[in-house]
Amino acid sequence: MVAAKTLDKTDSISNIELLDERLRWLSSWMVHNANNIREKRDGLKVGGHQASCSSMTAIMAALYFHALRPQDKVAVKPHAGPVVHAIHYLLDQQSQEKMEHFRGLGGVQSYPSRTKDSIPVDFSTGSVGLGVAETAFTSLVQDYLITHDYLDEVNAGRMIALMGDAELDEGNIYECLIEGYKHNLRNCWWVVDYNRQSLDATTADRMFRRFDDIFETCGWRVITLKSGNLQRAAFKKPGGKALQDWIENCPNAEFAALTFLGGDAWRKRLLKDIGSKNGVKALLKEHDDDGLARLMTNLGGHCIETLINAFDSMDDDRPTLLIAYTVKGHGLPLAGHKDNHSGMMNDVQIKELRDKLGIAEGQEWDKWAGFGDNTAAQLQAFVDNSPIAQKLPEFSAPSVDVPSQFAVPAGKEQSTQAAFGKILHDLAKSDAELADRIVTTAPDVTQTTNLGAFVNQRGLFRRQKLADVFKQENIPSIQKWEGQSAGQHIELGIAENNFFLALAALGLSAEHFGTRLLPVGTVYDPFIARGLDALNYGCYMDARFLLVGTPSGITLAGEGGAHQSINTPLIGMGQPNLESFEPAYADEVALIMQWAFAQMQDADGSSAYIRLTTRAIQQLERKDDGWKQDALAGAYWLREPKAGCEAAIAYCGAVAPEALSAWEQLEGDIPGLGLLAVTSPDRLHRDWSAARAGRWKENANRDCHIEKLLSVLSPNAGIVTVLDGSPAALSWIGAVRGHRVSPLGTDSFGQTGDLPDLYRTYRLDQDAIIEATAELFL
């Protein structure tokens, strides 16, 4: 039995070595074809990263065709995107046509994309570092589902990131590392392609010895693969210890340069540095120049047996950092050159590589070209029987029922932030399935963003019980901070990148694990910008979540400019896959939240962002529900204008009282003056843009919602727009039907003060609106 197992492993290693070679070729050819063979119509370089791919092919071959299980998920480093497509090509899950159109419309994307690529992609990558950290938060989501009995422990997968060593410079990696330690992270592997070259230069030598310390301190196992089998065998021979010490101390830049120069340069340098030591000359004479170059670059990340043994040793749930030494451009004429990040093989070099592999001209896309029939059949069978070939398609989780309407919180005066908290609290007290699927999170602002009542009702999520010491000591507190496995609030530190990555991971639970969660995250509105890259990343993956930014604008008053948001309405308008709203009244909040929970689950839906305030204002008495449909479309007439009216005031959010007061002052002087409540500049603008584009793309001539609303005004009418944010969020309304606009808003940093002073200073008060209206008639 032992002999049989050894033979099986030997055969497996041999097969994976051939797959490594084939992945290197296909990824290189894909990039070459796009840049040198396919017709160029714009004269621009298509791009691609042959060297970054070739440094990863052995790691990915060993991972995908040996270690990876069907339930595991992988984030592939951006620049190795062609390799993962080549893998799926071998699995018959990718087409030659799409690979021929690499970086072309409808073809393979530059970097792995969940939404744009046709192959199974677990995590989009592109903004370096984010895909790495996302695997940790997805592992946390998996633990949440296990403890809530939505997923069996036996089906737990590993969340794996394949990362370039330059990604270790990304700050979000270490923010994530700290959060993972706090939540006792498990089932997570980060595999580092340690080729010691970034885009600009070689990486700093002194940093490597720190990674072990940093990760081990945070509870990770660190495995380092420096040498492959050839090197380890050489180290055991006379002179081998001297050679090993020399490699150990060789600076990264010098190792890269010698790799590019080749065997003769290696020999001269080694003889010069350590040739006088016992056994070294004889050891070097055992190898010709090609053999010596092969020995010196036989690093752990290129040795299939070394990689397989390492993966096999990680057979538990402990988070693991695997650092695999590699050569950037391994196996290519670009190997080691400091400019190889964006460098590409020329026609002569790609032909030499093709000939070396025995691939006939015209057979470049054949999966097993250059192999004999027996070997080709053997490799096909090996690929077909690999665990990754049995990976199931992503889940299609059923929708969670959303009540037809949410109760509007009682209170003649209240803020939108308070209304949000009350609505969530009412849900938390109910037995609705929706309440069970809601997961809340915040970057250390749970109480100040009105999530406290939900947490008090539903509890803090922890895999191990966390006692509330104040409660045990009978110290009065409105806050219950007791952790348990059934809790539904995930506590996060103040790092907004972590916050948005956690929302993205929660928002993909349906696709990743087959159970739909409805994440709700709150953050101080101005600090959305601190995590904007991660927010964009989550939206790009089409993760679904409800984001609440609060409190917002200079309405925050005494907190000052650093806490007062200005441009977040524009962020909401400009971010794809995110529908943004800014309600003024509690009933608008209830309506929008109900819509958002349904929208998050719709096949063509999206995430939602609600911008709220702590300012309590007088609530409206509604005559009927006729306003609701228009409010969800983006705006409704709070005070209907008369046909042919010469003016209107359009407001958004917290400044509703000032707009209403100004309207009351002006309606006697301007007969039929309209007052437009804008609940979503975002939805209004998207609808307007889509209608204009549709006239040309779809030959569909339709009026959008804002056109219909403004059609009642005179063609010569003027509009005052006002919101506590960038005036650009509303000033575009004048372009819809050619109306004159007098825009009000904040476009400079705020300062401390009370509301009357700040609204007067920044021209958001009643007088400013009246003056802006007068300006329309000057």
Side-chain angles (χ1 to χ4, degrees):
M1 291 296 292
V2 174
K5 287 185 179 179
T6 303
L7 180 63
D8 289 344
K9 186 173 182 178
T10 300
D11 288 345
S12 180
I13 291 170
S14 176
N15 287 332
I16 296 174
E17 286 173 344
L18 293 176
L19 293 175
D20 168 25
E21 178 186 285
R22 189 46 37 118
L23 295 177
R24 190 177 305 119
W25 164 255
L26 285 172
S27 58
S28 296
W29 179 251
M30 196 187 312
V31 175
H32 180 82
N33 177 76
N35 286 275
N36 299 287
I37 299 176
R38 195 172 74 210
E39 178 187 5
K40 285 193 181 75
R41 297 179 297 172
D42 54 15
L44 298 177
K45 173 184 174 182
V46 176
H49 302 88
Q50 290 173 329
S52 292
C53 288
S54 64
S55 66
M56 283 287 296
T57 54
I59 295 171
M60 293 180 70
L63 177 68
Y64 275 82
F65 296 110
H66 175 77
L68 210 59
R69 305 168 303 174
Q71 69 267 38
D72 297 339
K73 306 184 193 311
V74 186
V76 177
K77 82 168 185 177
H79 298 139
V83 181
V84 77
H85 287 279
I87 287 171
H88 286 281
Y89 185 59
L90 298 183
L91 289 164
D92 294 322
Q93 297 170 352
Q94 181 57 284
S95 70
Q96 178 180 328
E97 180 184 12
K98 287 188 178 291
M99 290 169 67
E100 286 178 336
H101 286 84
F102 171 64
R103 294 196 173 194
L105 184 63
V108 166
Q109 298 297 297
S110 306
Y111 311 118
S113 171
R114 286 184 51 83
T115 56
K116 307 298 183 184
D117 279 317
S118 58
I119 64 168
V121 174
D122 298 318
F123 305 97
S124 298
T125 53
S127 185
V128 293
L130 293 182
V132 178
E134 186 70 359
T135 59
F137 288 104
T138 303
S139 181
L140 176 61
V141 171
Q142 180 175 251
D143 280 341
Y144 180 95
L145 294 169
I146 290 170
T147 62
H148 286 76
D149 295 327
Y150 293 130
L151 182 69
D152 289 335
E153 178 77 46
V154 294
N155 294 325
R158 297 186 185 103
M159 306 302 138
I160 302 167
L162 303 174
M163 59 192 294
D165 51 359
E167 290 186 86
L168 287 167
D169 289 338
E170 288 287 343
N172 68 77
I173 294 286
Y174 303 98
E175 291 180 346
C176 165
L177 200 61
I178 294 169
E179 200 64 63
Y181 182 73
K182 285 156 55 177
H183 286 279
N184 195 19
L185 177 67
R186 60 184 189 138
N187 288 317
C188 190
W189 291 357
W190 289 356
V191 182
V192 183
D193 170 18
Y194 194 67
N195 60 47
R196 293 160 289 171
Q197 288 184 254
S198 60
L199 194 155
D200 287 337
T202 52
T203 54
D205 298 272
R206 69 194 304 262
M207 272 310 299
F208 172 73
R209 294 173 181 83
R210 300 279 68 81
F211 296 136
D212 297 51
D213 297 342
I214 294 168
F215 278 81
E216 287 172 353
T217 297
C218 289
W220 287 55
R221 169 175 51 211
V222 179
I223 298 174
T224 303
L225 308 181
K226 289 190 177 182
S227 300
N229 283 349
L230 291 178
Q231 282 194 358
R232 291 199 301 272
F235 296 159
K236 294 176 182 178
K237 295 181 178 181
K241 182 63 169 63
L243 180 63
Q244 183 178 10
D245 291 344
W246 185 92
I247 293 173
E248 181 74 24
N249 293 295
C250 181
N252 290 341
E254 291 185 29
F255 193 94
L258 289 168
T259 296
F260 178 74
L261 292 170
D264 183 58
W266 278 117
R267 190 179 306 278
K268 289 176 179 176
R269 178 60 182 274
L270 290 169
L271 287 173
K272 175 185 175 185
D273 288 356
I274 57 173
S276 61
K277 297 194 175 183
N278 291 337
V280 170
K281 288 183 179 178
L283 180 59
L284 297 181
K285 281 184 180 180
E286 292 181 15
H287 306 274
D288 60 15
D289 284 349
D290 287 343
L292 183 57
R294 191 160 49 250
L295 172 66
M296 296 304 292
T297 57
N298 176 239
L299 304 179
H302 298 307
C303 179
I304 297 299
E305 184 174 358
T306 299
L307 287 163
I308 285 177
N309 289 337
F311 287 136
D312 288 347
S313 73
M314 296 151 55
D315 190 23
D316 54 33
D317 65 3
R318 185 177 176 187
T320 300
L321 180 73
L322 177 64
I323 302 172
Y325 272 66
T326 61
V327 170
K328 194 165 184 174
H330 179 69
L332 307 181
L334 310 170
H337 197 288
K338 72 179 181 68
D339 299 334
N340 66 12
H341 182 81
S342 298
M344 295 182 196
M345 288 180 280
N346 57 35
D347 289 337
V348 173
Q349 290 171 325
I350 198 79
K351 180 181 183 301
E352 289 176 352
L353 180 61
R354 185 186 63 202
D355 292 345
K356 179 180 178 182
L357 298 175
I359 299 172
E361 187 174 359
Q363 295 184 348
E364 292 88 353
W365 293 108
D366 290 1
K367 286 201 298 185
W368 311 121
F371 298 124
D373 291 344
N374 290 338
T375 301
Q378 169 189 313
L379 289 173
Q380 187 65 60
F382 182 78
V383 167
D384 290 343
N385 292 321
S386 61
I388 190 60
Q390 313 308 316
K391 184 170 183 174
L392 297 174
E394 285 198 335
F395 297 95
S396 180
S399 295
V400 177
D401 184 57
V402 178
S404 59
Q405 62 181 14
F406 289 169
V408 178
K412 292 184 177 180
E413 281 197 4
Q414 56 184 309
S415 70
T416 51
Q417 178 178 306
F420 158 75
K422 292 173 184 176
I423 292 167
L424 268 188
H425 186 217
D426 286 345
L427 279 171
K429 291 187 295 182
S430 75
D431 59 359
E433 182 188 13
L434 173 64
D436 294 336
R437 298 297 183 91
I438 290 174
V439 184
T440 60
T441 189
D444 199 32
V445 291
T446 300
Q447 304 303 319
T448 50
T449 56
N450 278 58
L451 281 181
F454 181 90
V455 178
N456 284 350
Q457 194 73 35
R458 290 282 174 153
L460 183 70
F461 169 67
R462 284 291 179 93
R463 284 201 294 125
Q464 290 81 31
K465 191 170 181 62
L466 175 71
D468 186 335
V469 176
F470 275 66
K471 179 181 177 182
Q472 289 180 338
E473 297 296 332
N474 296 316
I475 301 174
S477 172
I478 61 171
Q479 176 185 346
K480 299 176 184 176
W481 210 246
E482 189 172 63
Q484 56 180 316
S485 61
Q488 291 178 234
H489 175 77
I490 296 177
E491 176 196 9
L492 295 174
I494 202 166
E496 281 77 9
N497 258 295
N498 284 341
F499 167 71
F500 283 115
L501 291 173
L503 280 180
L506 289 161
L508 286 172
S509 64
E511 294 81 358
H512 279 162
F513 303 108
T515 295
R516 190 180 300 279
L517 298 176
L518 297 169
V520 178
T522 59
V523 62
Y524 285 0
D525 195 63
F527 301 143
I528 283 176
R530 290 177 62 174
L532 194 54
D533 190 17
L535 170 61
N536 181 68
Y537 172 72
C539 291
Y540 179 62
M541 291 198 294
D542 199 22
R544 305 293 179 82
F545 48 83
L546 174 57
L547 167 65
V548 176
T550 183
S552 61
I554 65 166
T555 302
L556 191 51
E559 292 289 335
H563 279 63
Q564 297 168 352
S565 56
I566 299 169
N567 67 339
T568 47
L570 299 179
I571 291 174
M573 292 178 69
Q575 180 61 57
N577 290 351
L578 184 72
E579 302 275 3
S580 67
F581 293 85
E582 187 164 354
Y585 297 102
D587 55 2
E588 293 174 353
V589 176
L591 175 71
I592 291 166
M593 286 179 66
Q594 188 275 340
W595 177 90
F597 282 124
Q599 171 78 353
M600 289 159 62
Q601 303 181 72
D602 191 274
D604 297 320
S606 67
S607 292
Y609 160 37
I610 310 180
R611 189 174 188 250
L612 302 180
T613 176
T614 51
R615 184 190 187 191
I617 65 173
Q618 186 75 29
Q619 299 298 293
L620 300 173
E621 291 187 12
R622 307 281 188 182
K623 294 180 180 178
D624 53 45
D625 291 341
W627 59 279
K628 289 185 175 181
Q629 185 174 348
D630 282 357
L632 289 175
Y636 64 97
W637 286 112
L638 185 62
R639 298 290 183 266
E640 189 85 26
K642 289 184 179 179
C645 178
E646 294 296 322
I649 299 169
Y651 75 88
C652 184
V655 295
E658 283 66 34
L660 185 56
S661 177
W663 180 88
E664 291 169 346
Q665 290 291 317
L666 291 168
E667 61 148 342
D669 298 323
I670 307 175
L673 175 68
L675 181 61
L676 186 66
V678 179
T679 51
S680 176
D682 178 25
R683 287 179 65 77
L684 284 183
H685 190 271
R686 288 178 197 272
D687 183 40
W688 178 51
S689 296
R692 293 173 66 245
R695 290 163 191 164
W696 305 100
K697 293 172 64 176
E698 304 160 8
N699 197 27
N701 191 15
R702 70 171 179 87
D703 283 342
C704 62
H705 183 57
I706 188 63
E707 284 179 305
K708 293 175 184 176
L709 288 171
L710 299 182
S711 64
V712 69
L713 302 179
S714 163
N716 298 316
I719 303 173
V720 175
T721 63
V722 57
L723 78 160
D724 185 358
S726 171
L730 290 180
S731 62
W732 59 271
I733 287 176
V736 175
R737 301 187 72 91
H739 291 125
R740 290 169 293 119
V741 167
S742 184
L744 298 175
T746 53
D747 52 12
S748 60
F749 290 111
Q751 56 189 301
T752 55
D754 66 11
L755 216 51
D757 279 347
L758 291 182
Y759 273 21
R760 184 182 67 254
T761 301
Y762 292 92
R763 290 185 48 75
L764 294 178
D765 61 1
Q766 171 191 298
D767 290 345
I769 296 171
I770 293 172
E771 290 165 0
T773 307
E775 182 183 79
L776 295 172
F777 296 95
L778 291 177

